Amino acid sequence: MTVFNQLLSNELPVQPMMPGSVSSSVTCCPFFPRVVLLQVMLLGDSAVGKTCVLVRFKDGAFLGGNFIATVGIDFRNKVVDVDNLKVKLQIWDTAGQERFRSVTHAYYRDAQALLLLYDITNKPSFDNIRAWLTEIHEYAQRDVVIMLLGNKSDMAAERVVKMEDGEKLAKEYGVPFMETSAKTGGNVELAFLAIAKELKHRATQQPNEPKFKIHDYIESQKQKSGCCSLG
Amino acid sequence: MDGETATGTESWEDCMLAPVDRLRLERADSPTPGLVEGTEPGAGQRSAMFVQAQSFEDLTSEAEEEAQRSAAEENPEGPDEGEYKVQNHDFSSDSRTKEEDVSSEAWRSHKKHVFVLSEAGKPIYTRYGTEEALSSTMGVMMALVSFVEAEKNIIRSIHADGCKVVFLTKSPLVLVGVSRTSQSDKELLRELQYIYYQIVSLLTLTQLNHIFQNKQNYDLRRLLAGSEYLTDNLLHRLERDPGLLLSAVTCLPLASCSRDAVSSSLQAAKAKNLVFSILLAGDRLVTLIRKKDQFLHHIDLHLVLNLVGSSSSFREGEGWTPICLPKFNTSGFFHAHISYLEPASELCLILVSTDREDFFNMSDCKQRFLERLSKRCAYQSLKEALKCPTYPVSQVGIPDLRHFLYKSKSSGLYTSPEFPDVYRSGQEQERLMGLYQDLHSCLHHPTRPLRSFYRCGETENLLAWVTSGFELYLCFSPLASKASAVAAVNKLLKWIRKEEDRLFILSPLTY
């Protein structure tokens, strides 16, 4: 019937779909509900908070204290519920350092979604976003879902990148945008869930079903982070 | 005796399936265990896991040879190649005024400084303080190197004002150690060599050369960003870890049947591009499986141990990182899959593959290993063994013995009991390690090496003994006599022989 139903009947763990479509895959397990596998990758300069965002999402905790640089890439799983369907997110946390770039490149093409982070208190990390987007266009799948995140929104006093600048850049590239805080948890869950929803809809969309609009969804859900301090 | 030796040697060189039991019987019968290499307690029975290396000499001789070679090249007519020690007392005061501008008294009073710079004099690493603040100091260091080089010679060390400055030129890098400790130049050079290998393991030598050929004044810190803690930790280990001193690693004490079960489970989880599988319990080796004919060098293993031990980033998920094993090959990266068997566990599995795209294959290997491990109930006994990763020296039953280091040369493994109460504090441990280092320097003196050495001190008596099969360092209470110390050696060797199944990896496996 639909692509999704074809997939459900297929027990292969990784099944590439028709060209141009999202290559998400589905495994069937007799004891658990059907699970959709999605690969998500966190990208951005060193020390923008990629690992912290991931830990906040995965364990609901904040990695305070010392900065621990990720070595190479780090792979973790988290199962989330999207509209009563289990979605297993396989999340690649990458090292921001330049010397790991070649390893990161090798795993770009497997990712269906990319979370691209900058640090709102660090201008160079924002300026590098264009370079990151160029790299993404070179290595990632053509229809990859990209989301731009301005992290550390709790640190209002040290902010150097305005929220409007982030919005403007995101608009220019046509990608959804929000500001997150791994420390308070603001918008972190939403970022991952919006991506999971988008990909799930792409994989399971019925012909007559209305298209999932990730931009609208985010706008309706997101907390205007730091609204009190921004004024 | 002759026949026995031949069997032993043959079996571990040829990687054949030697009749292990027979060999074990013969070995146990040997009246003087350990006097012949390959039969000492702890010697591997089938094949060694590591590259056979003259350990300490292996590290330092290379640097010396290189220095001499380049000196000879640059100075074909010069008779005074090699040793060139500059006795320059002006240097210290001179450089001090410079350092005072950028740093405090506390900075200068550190026991050991390590600096890495490029041949263009650009700072790459300093152990203390920031590189930026020290750019002029490093400029001076480079000037010294160049100045002596212009005279067609090589600067080795400067001894001035209780301070040793040791230079190691490893193009395109220059490493400088400044020490107030009693360590010999050779020991300091060995430490610099480790730091050099640490940097190579992050970048490969090929990449290093390529970068500096294209741009001589490249700021290497850009590529090394976020890795400084690895070098910091390695320096810390060099002061504390007997393994780095002995060029050996230590094992988790584990009943041989359990270890064999773990090893064979790991052996079965193989893949096409898998070269080494290493299971660690903290800093201790549980088992190591290697591809046939491929050996891991102890330096490379220590770099892996340092990477794993320094980064908490592998704790949760599965890590995948490029790593160059410089003693294996300085030109390329391996890719290591690093993960803990359980988040809170000490057990860390490292799977080294040649293929950058092998992550999922390695992840699958780990799963297969875990499945086999739990099927054979070996996991439970392994977890039990983790509860006592070390042993008290009292198990040996020698009253005055406080601590010892025993290294089996042919297997590249060492064993050592936990530190007794007297040496519990970090400061005391470092002092004892310093004493061992002194003994080590004496035994491995470049021109007058010693076979054995007994030293009476105020706080302890020490005995060191090296044979072709083992190295032994013992620490006794200050009340012990020399005769009792010598008698203790035999008793200790017998004890280690009795316990070798548990303390060492006697039958390492290959895929």
Side-chain angles (χ1 to χ4, degrees):
Chain A
M1 200 169 83
T2 63
V3 183
F4 186 55
N5 287 342
Q6 284 167 25
L7 270 174
L8 285 180
S9 60
N10 195 319
E11 297 223 351
L12 283 177
V14 176
Q15 167 75 28
M17 290 169 56
M18 43 217 273
S21 71
V22 185
S23 65
S24 52
S25 56
V26 174
T27 48
C28 294
C29 179
F31 308 108
F32 295 103
R34 289 154 173 174
V35 175
V36 184
L37 275 184
L38 295 175
Q39 287 198 24
V40 182
M41 202 169 191
L42 291 155
L43 295 172
D45 278 10
S46 175
V48 297
K50 296 181 289 299
T51 304
C52 286
V53 164
L54 172 56
V55 170
R56 163 61 70 186
F57 172 64
K58 199 176 164 285
D59 308 320
F62 178 61
L63 281 179
N66 292 335
F67 168 61
I68 303 161
T70 302
V71 180
I73 47 185
D74 182 50
F75 183 80
R76 303 184 197 194
N77 288 315
K78 165 128 180 161
V79 179
V80 290
D81 256 333
V82 179
D83 308 335
N84 298 322
L85 187 77
K86 294 265 182 247
V87 174
K88 186 173 178 186
L89 294 175
Q90 301 188 318
I91 307 165
W92 292 103
D93 182 18
T94 65
Q97 282 91 13
E98 196 177 321
R99 72 194 149 90
F100 293 116
R101 237 17 91 70
S102 71
V103 185
T104 319
H105 290 165
Y107 290 87
Y108 260 116
R109 62 161 187 276
D110 296 328
Q112 287 124 23
L114 302 172
L115 292 177
L116 180 54
L117 279 82
Y118 68 89
D119 171 359
I120 64 154
T121 69
N122 178 342
K123 187 76 167 45
S125 76
F126 178 69
D127 297 337
N128 280 337
I129 290 294
R130 284 178 193 276
W132 278 107
L133 286 163
T134 314
E135 196 177 286
I136 288 167
H137 285 297
E138 189 173 340
Y139 293 98
Q141 295 181 46
R142 203 166 40 83
D143 59 349
V144 68
V145 177
I146 302 166
M147 186 179 293
L148 183 64
L149 302 179
N151 193 33
K152 308 194 189 177
S153 62
D154 54 286
M155 293 169 75
E158 283 107 296
R159 175 192 285 274
V160 291
V161 183
K162 281 186 279 193
M163 173 137 41
E164 299 84 73
D165 293 341
E167 276 167 352
K168 213 175 123 197
L169 185 70
K171 210 166 186 181
E172 188 185 327
Y173 284 87
V175 298
F177 166 77
M178 66 180 94
E179 287 197 344
T180 55
S181 165
K183 191 170 182 179
T184 64
N187 284 342
V188 171
E189 184 109 354
L190 173 64
F192 284 93
L193 285 184
I195 274 181
K197 266 184 190 286
E198 164 77 11
L199 289 169
K200 183 237 154 200
H201 277 268
R202 281 199 197 182
T204 63
Q205 196 186 8
Q206 310 282 335
N208 50 356
E209 196 183 21
K211 197 171 182 294
F212 174 70
K213 294 202 173 63
I214 189 169
H215 285 85
D216 298 348
Y217 176 71
I218 290 170
E219 284 311 316
S220 68
Q221 300 287 317
K222 85 176 161 193
Q223 316 164 10
K224 289 290 179 194
S225 53
C227 50
C228 36
S229 47
L230 272 175
Chain B
M1 183 77 196
D2 274 348
E4 177 200 320
T5 323
T7 334
T9 320
E10 196 183 294
S11 64
W12 59 260
E13 278 185 355
D14 297 351
C15 306
M16 291 196 316
L17 287 170
V20 177
D21 291 337
R22 190 172 57 85
L23 195 61
R24 193 171 289 177
L25 278 177
E26 280 175 9
R27 286 151 48 97
D29 287 345
S30 168
T32 47
L35 292 179
V36 179
E37 186 173 359
T39 62
E40 78 274 12
Q45 292 178 350
R46 282 186 222 174
S47 56
M49 279 182 297
F50 303 112
V51 175
Q52 292 300 302
Q54 277 302 307
S55 59
F56 178 62
E57 282 72 12
D58 178 60
L59 255 178
T60 42
S61 65
E62 193 185 289
E64 273 162 30
E65 265 169 39
E66 240 168 59
Q68 276 168 7
R69 211 183 315 125
S70 46
E73 275 168 17
E74 285 165 18
N75 194 9
E77 77 279 4
D80 58 344
E81 60 183 52
E83 207 67 22
Y84 185 93
K85 281 190 180 171
V86 189
Q87 295 286 345
N88 186 347
H89 291 276
D90 294 331
F91 166 75
S92 62
S93 56
D94 191 303
S95 73
R96 271 186 179 197
T97 46
K98 279 194 178 75
E99 282 160 12
E100 266 171 12
D101 293 340
V102 290
S103 51
S104 60
E105 187 60 39
W107 184 85
R108 275 192 283 132
S109 57
H110 285 299
K111 259 196 330 207
K112 197 185 287 169
H113 283 274
V114 173
F115 308 98
V116 182
L117 43 146
S118 71
E119 280 177 325
K122 272 225 168 151
I124 293 170
Y125 171 81
T126 172
R127 185 178 192 185
Y128 303 108
T130 65
E131 288 84 11
E132 289 88 353
L134 291 163
S135 54
S136 56
T137 311
M138 299 219 194
V140 172
M141 291 172 182
M142 196 56 227
L144 283 168
V145 172
S146 318
F147 178 75
V148 179
E149 244 173 30
E151 302 276 302
K152 306 213 179 305
N153 219 319
I154 282 178
I155 190 164
R156 293 272 198 95
S157 59
I158 299 170
H159 296 231
D161 200 20
C163 210
K164 275 185 197 135
V165 186
V166 181
F167 294 84
L168 175 67
T169 318
K170 286 284 221 176
S171 180
L173 305 180
V174 176
L175 297 97
V176 184
V178 181
S179 165
R180 295 185 179 280
T181 65
S182 59
Q183 280 176 295
S184 66
D185 288 8
K186 204 177 166 184
E187 296 274 355
L188 292 169
L189 211 55
R190 180 182 66 96
E191 301 190 353
L192 292 182
Q193 198 101 1
Y194 261 111
I195 303 304
Y196 168 73
Y197 284 129
Q198 174 65 64
I199 293 172
V200 171
S201 98
L202 294 166
L203 299 174
T204 74
L205 186 57
T206 311
Q207 197 187 349
L208 262 183
N209 285 330
H210 182 76
I211 288 165
F212 285 107
Q213 269 159 20
N214 285 343
K215 202 174 169 215
Q216 246 194 330
N217 64 348
Y218 184 84
D219 185 359
L220 197 65
R221 282 180 305 155
R222 198 176 128 192
L223 274 184
L224 292 175
S227 71
E228 299 82 1
Y229 70 100
L230 288 175
T231 313
D232 294 342
N233 263 318
L234 186 60
L235 282 165
H236 185 70
R237 275 165 187 262
L238 282 163
E239 276 160 17
R240 287 282 186 88
D241 187 346
L244 289 150
L245 176 69
L246 297 173
S247 307
V249 285
T250 190
C251 307
L252 175 78
L254 183 64
S256 65
C257 56
S258 307
R259 196 185 312 270
D260 289 347
V262 176
S263 299
S264 60
S265 304
L266 194 54
Q267 183 193 33
K270 60 184 167 189
K272 192 171 130 244
N273 298 314
L274 186 58
V275 189
F276 300 111
S277 310
I278 306 161
L279 184 64
L280 298 178
D283 277 340
R284 291 161 185 274
L285 197 58
V286 178
T287 185
L288 187 157
I289 319 286
R290 57 183 179 82
K291 214 180 186 91
K292 213 174 163 185
D293 307 325
Q294 307 297 339
F295 294 90
L296 190 60
H297 195 282
H298 60 84
I299 293 177
D300 291 341
L301 184 55
H302 275 295
L303 293 176
V304 172
L305 281 168
N306 186 45
L307 173 70
V308 172
S310 313
S311 325
S312 54
S313 105
F314 304 116
R315 273 276 159 204
E316 294 285 331
E318 295 171 62
W320 181 244
T321 180
I323 181 170
C324 169
L325 301 176
K327 277 293 184 180
F328 192 94
N329 183 352
T330 52
S331 65
F333 279 120
F334 282 107
H335 287 80
H337 181 279
I338 304 173
S339 62
Y340 284 83
L341 299 192
E342 286 170 44
S345 163
E346 279 289 280
L347 292 165
C348 181
L349 180 66
I350 300 139
L351 301 167
V352 181
S353 163
T354 53
D355 187 359
R356 192 173 67 186
E357 318 231 333
D358 235 3
F359 174 86
F360 289 105
N361 287 335
M362 293 301 110
S363 189
D364 180 50
C365 282
K366 181 195 173 185
Q367 282 314 316
R368 279 187 284 143
F369 166 62
L370 280 178
E371 278 160 26
R372 276 182 180 264
L373 197 61
S374 38
K375 241 183 235 163
R376 302 183 60 167
C377 317
Y379 199 16
Q380 208 44 51
S381 54
L382 185 54
K383 279 185 185 164
E384 281 300 312
L386 278 178
K387 287 179 190 155
C388 40
T390 177
Y391 52 91
V393 72
S394 57
Q395 274 193 12
V396 184
I398 301 171
D400 284 329
L401 184 64
R402 285 181 176 177
H403 192 254
F404 68 88
L405 306 174
Y406 169 88
K407 176 196 170 184
S408 146
K409 279 190 179 177
S410 64
S411 65
L413 298 169
Y414 80 93
T415 187
S416 174
E418 65 195 17
F419 285 103
D421 287 337
V422 210
Y423 302 107
R424 269 292 144 78
S425 75
Q427 207 184 355
E428 277 299 293
Q429 273 177 36
E430 251 170 53
R431 193 179 64 81
L432 181 60
M433 278 307 297
L435 292 170
Y436 284 144
Q437 279 179 358
D438 283 349
L439 293 177
H440 186 270
S441 308
C442 294
L443 292 186
H444 296 270
H445 193 274
T447 50
R448 256 173 271 130
L450 299 176
R451 305 288 291 173
S452 61
F453 190 22
Y454 183 73
R455 179 188 277 172
C456 275
E458 269 177 28
T459 44
E460 56 273 293
N461 294 346
L462 298 151
L463 173 64
W465 190 27
V466 58
T467 72
S468 68
F470 64 80
E471 273 179 48
L472 185 57
Y473 302 83
L474 304 123
C475 169
F476 295 94
S477 90
L479 301 172
S481 67
K482 188 174 172 182
S484 70
V486 172
V489 170
N490 262 326
K491 195 167 178 197
L492 177 61
L493 284 179
K494 275 193 186 130
W495 182 82
I496 296 173
R497 169 66 89 203
K498 187 163 71 72
E499 300 286 326
E500 64 175 355
D501 277 358
R502 196 167 63 87
L503 301 178
F504 293 91
I505 300 173
L506 295 181
S507 34
L509 300 176
T510 59
Y511 302 121

